[in-house]
Amino acid sequence: MTDSWGFLLQTLTASEAALLLLLVKAMFRDKLSPRWQFGIWSILGLVLLIPAGLGGRYSLLNWPLWLEALKSQLTGDYMSITRVWASLPLPSAQTAGDWLFWLYLAGVLFLLGRYALAYIRLRRALQQEQPEELPQVRQVAERYGLPCCLAVQVPGLPSAFICGVRRPVLVLPAGAAVDDKVILHELLHLKYHDAAWGLLICLLRCLHWCNPLLWYCANRASNDLEALCDQRALERLAGEERRDYGRILLEMATDNYARVPGTSAMANGERNIRRRIEAIASFKKYSAGLKLPALCIGLALAVPLLFGVQAQAMMSDEALSFRRAYGEWGKQLMIANSRLKGCGTYAGAFDTYAKSLLVSTPKKYYYRALCAPLEEQEHWLSPMMNAGGDWSASEFGLPAWPNPKYGYLVYNLRQQGEAYEGLLVLELSGALEGREPAPYGHCLLAVQRVRVEQQAGRWVALPQEDFQVVESRWASLMNTPDDVLPPFCTYAAEYGDFRLEMKQWYSYQVPSWTQPGENVYIGGYTWGAFNTFPQPDGAFDKNLSKNLYAVYIGDEADKEKYNYLHIGAVSKPWVAGAARPYFQHYSGLGDVSGSSNQGECFGFRQLGADWNNPVFICGSGGYGVDEQPDRYAADFYLNGSKAAELELAPVTEGGGDDA
């Protein structure tokens, strides 16, 4: 954490875990053993040590959403995102003017210094006495099979305790008889390293000194540690010894060196002593059959508190309800949500940006904010506060509203360092102002180069140019692409007055054809109607389309000599080092075309008078096809006879396909 907002996020996340643990502990206070009652605090300790929101996961409540909204409301800061990188306070340039953080940090350092000074003073006092091995301590250790340590006797001390984590000593009152049960209690602290647990509790208490709930939990954890030690001692005692243990406990009560880190000394207030006496009076050995239920309860608590749930962007009506229910505060919540969650994948950023253009409701502003840079958040979400529906295509850079029926496609996707660029293609609806409608069987496409990159841990879409309008010779966006869109790669070879060109396009779309009915035919598959609901964490489906053309390259004056000619070709990928692919002999075919799942495609065309150049021969492709061979083999046909065997080599590339 590097600022006061980071600390607030960490402590809020810990507080919800603390409240849940306190509730569950109260439910099972008399039903589960002291071992479980103390051990369950380890979950809270891990929550405190793990940075809040690690990996975008949150325990129970999405605190960052409300925290970011509050921060924006109070400070007007829309450019930063609160992140907790470490559970310890880490000053940085960001905290230079954050006086709350420096106040918090001063409190941490004050308490750490105070506890360290108390420990140093205690160790110095103990150094005045010579540690020695006492026979009584050794006898108790041997009787109960416990580890032994050196002891030091200090005058005026009312009770015993263990001091030290690395080289512990048993501190005993000088000049007074010490009951074996007292030594048993302290040696149990020694065996289970309770001084180290106390040191960790002290550290967490310092880090969260301004959270009274966590201080209360630290006190409860210390008391549970003592109760656990009592349970372990009572399990080794029997009959009258157990009753004497409660009486001796009263004599052990002291506030001298209370909660000094690195010791087993604790504040034995009247209320704590009473609870321990009651527990001793009602001592019972817990059945081994309770271990499995206790473990299950612990796991049921640990999984949501430690692993949490992945934060999800609130979409459509869920997010828009903020606007209706909370007014200006709802705006802050929407901005915070889009800033925090955003888009988790580059494909999700393309998808969210494209769908913000396809919908015709106020949701488009919210969708756009999800994939916009932080500095644009307020710009895109402010219009959502208006009750009316006054929005225009030009506001989003569009010459007209696109047709949502077929969605979008991204062409020529390529990676540039850590970013991705591609051509976003949308089909426009109706006629454009000042432009004739597309002829029957054609459609108008809006094309824009878009760059997607990571900013502040989220993917954002950055348009690189204005939309360009092109006319496709196909009826819709989902048909085979043509020369209005640049190919990814072109392979070519010449024969006489003709050049065969194999053009390849890769197109991408996050799968959105989920609604039954209104089927459309795309890439050889039947899909349902397009769903314009964004998928910020989506992944692309990849489609390969390839078209084979015969291009006339001779003199224009001689073109008519090929009128009514029967022309055709067969092509197949040719792997480097392999023999030339085998083709069956084609002859006498009319106007026909086709393809095979081995990558072969063929086509034959009867040229008419004044035929159009180039001549489309055939096309193939499909989803899941990732085919970019070194070259193509092709047989060229004229009037039903094979005229040439050609090798189509790459002549142009569209920049690389890395998706």
Side-chain angles (χ1 to χ4, degrees):
M1 64 187 86
T2 57
D3 58 16
S4 55
W5 294 102
F7 167 75
L8 184 56
L9 177 56
Q10 181 78 1
T11 197
L12 283 173
T13 303
S15 295
E16 67 177 0
L19 286 172
L20 180 60
L21 290 176
L22 287 171
L23 175 62
V24 175
K25 279 171 61 64
M27 293 171 56
F28 297 100
R29 182 174 56 186
D30 300 326
K31 300 176 179 63
L32 295 178
S33 71
R35 288 180 176 82
W36 185 90
Q37 295 291 341
F38 175 71
I40 206 69
W41 288 117
S42 61
I43 298 176
L44 179 59
L46 291 174
V47 170
L48 289 170
L49 293 175
I50 296 174
L54 182 66
R57 307 183 74 84
Y58 304 97
S59 297
L60 299 175
L61 301 177
N62 194 350
W63 288 110
L65 172 66
W66 303 90
L67 188 69
E68 287 295 328
L70 179 63
K71 183 177 73 172
S72 299
Q73 182 87 359
L74 296 179
T75 66
D77 179 12
Y78 297 94
M79 296 295 295
S80 65
I81 299 177
T82 299
R83 304 289 189 192
V84 181
W85 305 108
S87 58
L88 302 176
L90 301 174
S92 68
Q94 178 181 345
T95 63
D98 191 346
W99 65 269
L100 282 175
F101 179 79
W102 292 112
L103 177 63
Y104 158 73
L105 187 59
V108 173
L109 296 176
F110 171 76
L111 284 177
L112 288 175
R114 177 184 173 187
Y115 284 122
L117 181 60
Y119 181 76
I120 292 172
R121 290 174 60 188
L122 174 59
R123 294 297 293 192
R124 285 183 176 177
L126 297 182
Q127 288 174 0
Q128 297 176 7
E129 307 295 335
Q130 184 65 33
E132 57 184 326
E133 183 176 328
L134 297 180
Q136 182 186 10
V137 176
R138 185 177 63 255
Q139 291 171 5
V140 173
E142 291 175 352
R143 186 189 314 160
Y144 294 103
L146 299 174
C148 189
C149 67
L150 296 177
V152 59
Q153 295 178 310
V154 179
L157 191 69
S159 182
F161 58 86
I162 293 291
C163 179
V165 174
R166 186 177 178 185
R167 291 193 297 267
V169 295
L170 174 59
V171 182
L172 298 171
V178 180
D179 194 283
D180 287 353
K181 301 176 188 64
V182 174
I183 297 176
L184 169 63
H185 180 93
E186 297 305 328
L187 291 182
L188 285 168
H189 277 311
L190 176 66
K191 177 180 179 178
Y192 293 100
H193 309 287
D194 290 347
W197 287 114
L199 184 62
L200 177 60
I201 292 172
C202 178
L203 175 61
L204 297 178
R205 189 197 304 269
C206 293
L207 292 177
H208 293 270
W209 63 269
C210 53
N211 188 329
L213 176 61
L214 295 182
W215 268 67
Y216 174 75
C217 289
N219 293 342
R220 286 287 302 272
S222 297
N223 295 336
D224 287 341
L225 183 60
E226 284 296 322
L228 175 55
C229 191
D230 290 336
Q231 178 76 11
R232 288 166 173 161
L234 292 170
E235 288 173 349
R236 289 166 170 82
L237 300 175
E240 190 64 28
E241 289 182 319
R242 290 176 181 170
R243 287 186 287 273
D244 286 345
Y245 186 81
R247 174 185 55 80
I248 295 170
L249 182 63
L250 290 174
E251 299 174 0
M252 294 169 58
T254 178
D255 285 334
N256 290 0
Y257 306 113
R259 295 200 181 96
V260 174
T263 74
S264 63
M266 64 166 292
N268 292 292
E270 179 182 350
R271 188 174 182 181
N272 293 333
I273 290 294
R274 185 173 67 250
R275 286 176 177 170
R276 292 174 65 186
I277 294 294
E278 291 174 353
I280 292 170
S282 59
F283 168 76
K284 61 179 178 179
K285 289 189 176 181
Y286 289 84
S287 170
L290 291 176
K291 290 183 178 180
L292 182 58
L295 177 62
C296 293
I297 294 171
L299 290 175
L301 289 170
V303 170
L305 292 179
L306 296 179
F307 299 100
V309 294
Q310 187 72 35
Q312 298 293 326
M314 285 172 286
M315 306 295 289
S316 63
D317 293 337
E318 182 184 6
L320 295 177
S321 64
F322 282 150
R323 181 188 66 171
R324 294 186 288 269
Y326 300 107
E328 180 62 26
W329 174 243
K331 170 187 172 183
Q332 300 296 343
L333 288 172
M334 286 188 293
I335 295 176
N337 179 66
S338 60
R339 183 163 72 248
L340 281 168
K341 181 60 180 76
C343 297
T345 62
Y346 72 89
F350 273 111
D351 183 75
T352 305
Y353 175 70
K355 289 174 179 177
S356 73
L357 304 172
L358 291 172
V359 296
S360 57
T361 70
K363 300 173 187 176
K364 66 192 307 94
Y365 295 106
Y366 180 69
Y367 295 168
R368 183 68 182 91
L370 282 174
C371 59
L374 294 180
E375 60 268 21
E376 297 181 13
Q377 296 289 302
E378 191 174 17
H379 166 77
W380 290 110
L381 287 174
S382 290
M384 292 187 63
M385 304 309 297
N386 301 325
D390 297 330
W391 55 85
S392 64
S394 60
E395 183 180 359
F396 290 80
L398 287 165
W401 288 118
N403 181 1
K405 182 178 181 181
Y406 300 128
Y408 69 90
L409 288 174
V410 176
Y411 281 90
N412 292 349
L413 184 65
R414 63 185 185 275
Q415 187 171 2
Q416 295 186 338
E418 298 297 323
Y420 292 83
E421 276 196 10
L423 288 178
L424 175 65
V425 183
L426 307 170
E427 180 181 328
L428 295 176
S429 298
L432 277 66
E433 184 177 352
R435 180 174 180 143
E436 291 292 327
Y440 178 78
H442 292 208
C443 68
L444 297 179
L445 304 178
V447 182
Q448 182 185 58
R449 183 165 298 280
V450 178
R451 177 183 177 87
V452 165
E453 62 184 41
Q454 276 195 311
Q455 294 183 7
R458 53 198 294 277
W459 288 93
V460 299
L462 305 171
Q464 300 296 292
E465 61 186 7
D466 294 336
F467 275 100
Q468 306 296 319
V469 178
V470 297
E471 182 180 315
S472 172
R473 64 187 182 90
W474 300 99
S476 80
L477 170 69
M478 292 302 166
N479 290 111
T480 304
D482 54 27
D483 289 335
V484 299
L485 299 175
F488 165 71
C489 186
T490 300
Y491 302 78
E494 295 182 3
Y495 173 75
D497 289 338
F498 288 91
R499 181 174 67 245
L500 284 184
E501 292 185 353
M502 175 67 77
K503 296 185 177 183
Q504 287 189 191
W505 292 264
Y506 286 102
S507 60
Y508 303 83
Q509 186 183 90
V510 174
S512 300
W513 306 90
T514 58
Q515 299 177 7
E518 298 187 34
N519 292 328
V520 292
Y521 192 72
I522 306 171
Y525 298 93
T526 301
W527 303 83
F530 192 81
N531 185 351
T532 56
F533 192 83
Q535 300 181 52
D537 298 317
F540 275 136
D541 269 358
K542 184 177 182 179
N543 178 57
L544 167 67
S545 298
K546 59 182 183 181
N547 291 347
L548 184 62
Y549 299 90
V551 184
Y552 178 72
I553 57 175
D555 291 338
E556 189 65 26
D558 296 334
K559 179 184 174 185
E560 63 181 13
K561 70 180 181 180
Y562 294 103
N563 288 354
Y564 305 110
L565 182 73
H566 197 228
I567 191 172
V570 185
S571 70
K572 199 171 187 177
W574 189 353
V575 180
R580 190 177 191 275
Y582 166 78
F583 295 109
Q584 69 179 62
H585 180 68
Y586 291 86
S587 62
L589 296 177
D591 283 1
V592 65
S593 63
S595 62
S596 72
N597 55 13
Q598 285 80 37
E600 179 178 312
C601 67
F602 63 89
F604 295 86
R605 298 284 182 265
Q606 179 74 43
L607 302 182
D610 195 21
W611 47 275
N612 292 325
N613 186 37
V615 180
F616 173 75
I617 301 296
C618 59
S620 66
Y623 278 85
V625 179
D626 192 0
E627 180 185 293
Q628 190 183 341
D630 300 315
R631 52 188 171 164
Y632 279 88
D635 287 353
F636 186 48
Y637 284 79
L638 292 175
N639 281 336
S641 299
K642 182 166 67 173
E645 294 182 352
L646 302 177
E647 177 183 327
L648 278 59
V651 293
T652 62
E653 293 191 15
D657 179 86
D658 302 299

CSV table of all heavy atoms in Angstrom, one decimal, residues 5 68-78 80:
chain,number,residue,atom,x,y,z
A,5,TRP,N,-5.6,5.6,0.7
A,5,TRP,CA,-6.7,4.8,0.1
A,5,TRP,C,-6.3,3.4,0.0
A,5,TRP,O,-7.1,2.5,0.1
A,5,TRP,CB,-7.0,5.4,-1.3
A,5,TRP,CG,-7.5,6.8,-1.3
A,5,TRP,CD1,-6.9,8.0,-1.5
A,5,TRP,CD2,-8.8,7.2,-0.9
A,5,TRP,NE1,-7.7,9.0,-1.4
A,5,TRP,CE2,-8.9,8.6,-1.0
A,5,TRP,CE3,-10.0,6.5,-0.5
A,5,TRP,CZ2,-10.1,9.3,-0.7
A,5,TRP,CZ3,-11.1,7.2,-0.2
A,5,TRP,CH2,-11.2,8.6,-0.3
A,68,GLU,N,-13.3,3.5,-4.9
A,68,GLU,CA,-12.9,4.3,-6.0
A,68,GLU,C,-14.0,5.4,-6.3
A,68,GLU,O,-13.7,6.6,-6.6
A,68,GLU,CB,-12.8,3.5,-7.3
A,68,GLU,CG,-11.5,2.7,-7.3
A,68,GLU,CD,-10.2,3.5,-7.4
A,68,GLU,OE1,-10.3,4.6,-7.9
A,68,GLU,OE2,-9.2,3.0,-6.8
A,69,ALA,N,-15.2,5.1,-6.1
A,69,ALA,CA,-16.3,6.0,-6.2
A,69,ALA,C,-16.2,7.1,-5.2
A,69,ALA,O,-16.3,8.3,-5.5
A,69,ALA,CB,-17.7,5.4,-6.1
A,70,LEU,N,-15.9,6.7,-4.0
A,70,LEU,CA,-15.7,7.7,-2.9
A,70,LEU,C,-14.5,8.6,-3.1
A,70,LEU,O,-14.6,9.8,-3.0
A,70,LEU,CB,-15.6,7.0,-1.5
A,70,LEU,CG,-15.4,7.9,-0.3
A,70,LEU,CD1,-16.6,8.8,-0.1
A,70,LEU,CD2,-15.1,7.0,0.9
A,71,LYS,N,-13.4,8.0,-3.6
A,71,LYS,CA,-12.2,8.8,-3.9
A,71,LYS,C,-12.5,9.8,-5.0
A,71,LYS,O,-12.1,11.0,-4.9
A,71,LYS,CB,-11.1,7.9,-4.3
A,71,LYS,CG,-9.8,8.6,-4.6
A,71,LYS,CD,-8.6,7.6,-4.9
A,71,LYS,CE,-8.8,7.1,-6.3
A,71,LYS,NZ,-7.6,6.2,-6.7
A,72,SER,N,-13.2,9.4,-6.1
A,72,SER,CA,-13.5,10.3,-7.1
A,72,SER,C,-14.4,11.5,-6.7
A,72,SER,O,-14.3,12.6,-7.0
A,72,SER,CB,-14.1,9.6,-8.3
A,72,SER,OG,-13.2,8.6,-8.8
A,73,GLN,N,-15.4,11.1,-5.8
A,73,GLN,CA,-16.3,12.1,-5.3
A,73,GLN,C,-15.6,13.1,-4.5
A,73,GLN,O,-15.9,14.3,-4.6
A,73,GLN,CB,-17.4,11.3,-4.5
A,73,GLN,CG,-18.5,12.2,-4.0
A,73,GLN,CD,-19.6,12.4,-4.9
A,73,GLN,OE1,-19.6,11.9,-6.0
A,73,GLN,NE2,-20.6,13.2,-4.5
A,74,LEU,N,-14.7,12.7,-3.7
A,74,LEU,CA,-14.0,13.6,-2.7
A,74,LEU,C,-12.9,14.3,-3.3
A,74,LEU,O,-12.6,15.5,-3.0
A,74,LEU,CB,-13.6,12.8,-1.5
A,74,LEU,CG,-14.6,12.2,-0.6
A,74,LEU,CD1,-14.0,11.4,0.5
A,74,LEU,CD2,-15.6,13.2,-0.1
A,75,THR,N,-12.1,13.7,-4.2
A,75,THR,CA,-10.9,14.3,-4.7
A,75,THR,C,-11.0,14.7,-6.2
A,75,THR,O,-10.1,15.5,-6.7
A,75,THR,CB,-9.7,13.3,-4.6
A,75,THR,OG1,-9.9,12.2,-5.4
A,75,THR,CG2,-9.6,12.9,-3.1
A,76,GLY,N,-12.0,14.2,-6.9
A,76,GLY,CA,-12.1,14.5,-8.4
A,76,GLY,C,-11.0,13.8,-9.2
A,76,GLY,O,-10.7,14.1,-10.3
A,77,ASP,N,-10.4,12.8,-8.6
A,77,ASP,CA,-9.3,12.0,-9.3
A,77,ASP,C,-9.9,10.8,-10.0
A,77,ASP,O,-10.4,9.9,-9.4
A,77,ASP,CB,-8.3,11.5,-8.2
A,77,ASP,CG,-7.2,10.7,-8.8
A,77,ASP,OD1,-7.1,10.7,-10.1
A,77,ASP,OD2,-6.5,10.0,-8.1
A,78,TYR,N,-9.9,10.9,-11.4
A,78,TYR,CA,-10.3,9.9,-12.2
A,78,TYR,C,-9.2,9.2,-12.9
A,78,TYR,O,-9.4,8.3,-13.8
A,78,TYR,CB,-11.3,10.4,-13.3
A,78,TYR,CG,-12.6,11.0,-12.7
A,78,TYR,CD1,-12.7,12.3,-12.4
A,78,TYR,CD2,-13.7,10.2,-12.4
A,78,TYR,CE1,-13.9,12.9,-11.9
A,78,TYR,CE2,-14.8,10.7,-11.8
A,78,TYR,CZ,-14.9,12.0,-11.6
A,78,TYR,OH,-16.0,12.6,-11.0
A,80,SER,N,-6.3,7.7,-11.5
A,80,SER,CA,-5.6,6.7,-10.8
A,80,SER,C,-6.5,5.6,-10.3
A,80,SER,O,-7.7,5.8,-10.1
A,80,SER,CB,-4.8,7.3,-9.7
A,80,SER,OG,-5.7,7.8,-8.7
